[in-house]
Amino acid sequence: MSVAFISHSDCGRHDTGWGHPEHVGRIRAITRALREHPELLTTLEHIESRHASEDEIALMHERRYIDTVREIARAGGGALDADTVASEGSWDAARAGAGALLDGVDFAMTGRGKRAFCAVRPPGHHALADRAMGFCLFGNVAIAARYSQRRHQLARVLIVDWDVHHGNGTQALVENDANIHFVSMHQWPWYPGTGPAEDRGPHQNVWNVPMAHGLPPQRYVEAMTRAIDDASQGFTPDLVLISAGFDSLRGDPLGGFTLEIEHVVALTRALVERADTWCEGRIVSALEGGYAPERVAEACVAHMGALF
Ligand SMILES: [Zn+2]
């Protein structure tokens, strides 16, 4: 069984500055941590991601917005929203980030392996169809969901988002498709302010799990697992996508959840077990938030280990 580690050096060209929490050091920490685990490092299949095409990004985003991102980057960079910036390299970074997930889907669907982790930035789950938001440019996971339906004719996709923030962008991009079920557990009340439990989407295909900060970690694991089971009641996914935000770890500067590495492993294993019965084990996971780089890296290593 092979698990892919998918990334691209262009993800390091999204230059937000070292004062920004979503800085390039986050991915560097992951590759550094991987080198400290040579057994895992050599077992993983390493894939340098392709760049998503504009047509692929347009599966979920408006052409005018895609043009805006490309042109701002071409002009040397600028602000996209209050806390989201683009640099000259951001166009290539964002296309490589989305492309990594598409490669992950292809990897899982063509039988080369079953599961992949994509170490990408900028993250994606706050991005909307027509604008950037919350450090996110393009909705990587949502694009991958639609791509898997179009390219591989998958009927049903489950997206699980354990980032400490509500995946408002992902919800907005997928909630009109009843064949995509979206589960998001997030701190409440917290940025971006969306995602109450009663917001189930127009097709009842959204499971929002708002949680208080500072609870015992097992409470988060249980709530998430319960929501995953609810979301898969009478709905057998053909593919599981994970928005793996590691700002849900204890001590993250942008979140108040209390997960430890063991809980990341528990959540990963819970999904692997279920995916094995649903869809031959197919899971594509992608980095979202997580702003204590060493902790994020440790979690990524444990997460990838648990994907085997
Ligand atoms: Zn987050």
Side-chain angles (χ1 to χ4, degrees):
M1 222 293 282
S2 107
V3 172
F5 174 78
I6 309 179
S7 194
H8 194 290
S9 57
D10 275 352
C11 289
R13 293 178 53 228
H14 175 55
D15 183 6
T16 54
W18 288 103
H20 194 286
E22 201 291 285
H23 59 65
V24 61
R26 298 175 62 240
I27 295 218
R28 287 183 195 163
I30 298 170
T31 48
R32 208 162 46 234
L34 261 180
R35 282 197 295 273
E36 288 164 14
H37 294 81
E39 210 165 288
L40 177 64
L41 182 69
T42 52
T43 316
L44 288 164
E45 180 162 340
H46 295 256
I47 298 176
E48 184 178 57
S49 75
R50 64 190 171 93
H51 293 81
S53 69
E54 291 191 29
D55 285 346
E56 288 166 340
I57 295 166
L59 288 171
M60 283 297 184
H61 292 279
E62 292 181 10
R63 294 278 179 182
R64 200 160 48 169
Y65 168 57
I66 298 170
D67 293 342
T68 300
V69 175
R70 186 186 59 242
E71 292 313 312
I72 287 180
R74 189 171 284 168
L80 289 169
D81 109 310
D83 48 21
T84 314
V85 295
S87 66
E88 191 179 0
S90 296
W91 172 245
D92 291 337
R95 288 185 305 125
L101 278 88
L102 306 186
D103 274 344
V105 170
D106 291 342
F107 179 80
M109 292 309 304
T110 53
R112 290 166 60 203
K114 292 177 182 176
R115 296 189 269 276
F117 175 71
C118 306
V120 296
R121 58 182 292 279
H125 74 152
H126 296 305
L128 298 166
D130 63 348
R131 63 189 172 94
M133 183 175 164
F135 314 165
C136 301
L137 269 58
F138 299 135
N140 304 325
V141 165
I143 293 168
R146 180 57 41 79
Y147 172 84
S148 74
Q149 295 172 319
R150 296 283 168 83
R151 175 74 180 79
H152 298 285
Q153 287 79 47
L154 296 190
R156 288 169 300 276
V157 180
L158 174 67
I159 301 175
V160 175
D161 184 330
W162 67 55
D163 188 284
V164 78
H165 304 101
H166 178 229
N168 65 298
T170 303
Q171 177 172 337
L173 294 175
V174 308
E175 68 178 0
N176 289 309
D177 184 341
N179 291 315
I180 301 177
H181 282 193
F182 177 55
V183 180
S184 176
M185 179 177 68
H186 39 271
Q187 187 172 330
W188 183 273
W190 204 235
Y191 180 89
T194 48
E198 55 272 23
D199 180 4
R200 299 288 323 282
H203 301 286
Q204 307 290 299
N205 56 331
V206 174
W207 283 259
N208 278 312
V209 187
M211 298 287 284
H213 66 91
L215 299 174
Q218 199 56 35
R219 291 273 301 277
Y220 300 110
V221 174
E222 284 163 8
M224 192 58 166
T225 310
R226 202 158 45 234
I228 291 165
D229 288 338
D230 286 348
S232 56
Q233 203 67 257
F235 178 94
T236 305
D238 299 306
L239 172 70
V240 177
L241 299 173
I242 304 177
S243 269
F246 293 115
D247 43 13
S248 44
L249 292 168
R250 184 190 297 276
D252 190 275
L254 298 190
F257 279 4
T258 57
L259 298 187
E260 301 290 352
I261 303 300
E262 65 188 279
H263 306 108
V264 169
V265 170
L267 284 170
T268 307
R269 293 305 309 171
L271 280 170
V272 166
E273 281 167 22
R274 285 162 178 75
D276 277 339
T277 66
W278 293 332
C279 53
E280 297 163 43
R282 290 190 289 265
I283 297 177
V284 177
S285 175
L287 182 65
E288 296 281 0
Y291 304 101
E294 305 304 323
R295 284 275 278 170
V296 170
E298 194 188 348
C300 287
V301 165
H303 177 52
M304 283 186 273
L307 286 176
F308 277 93

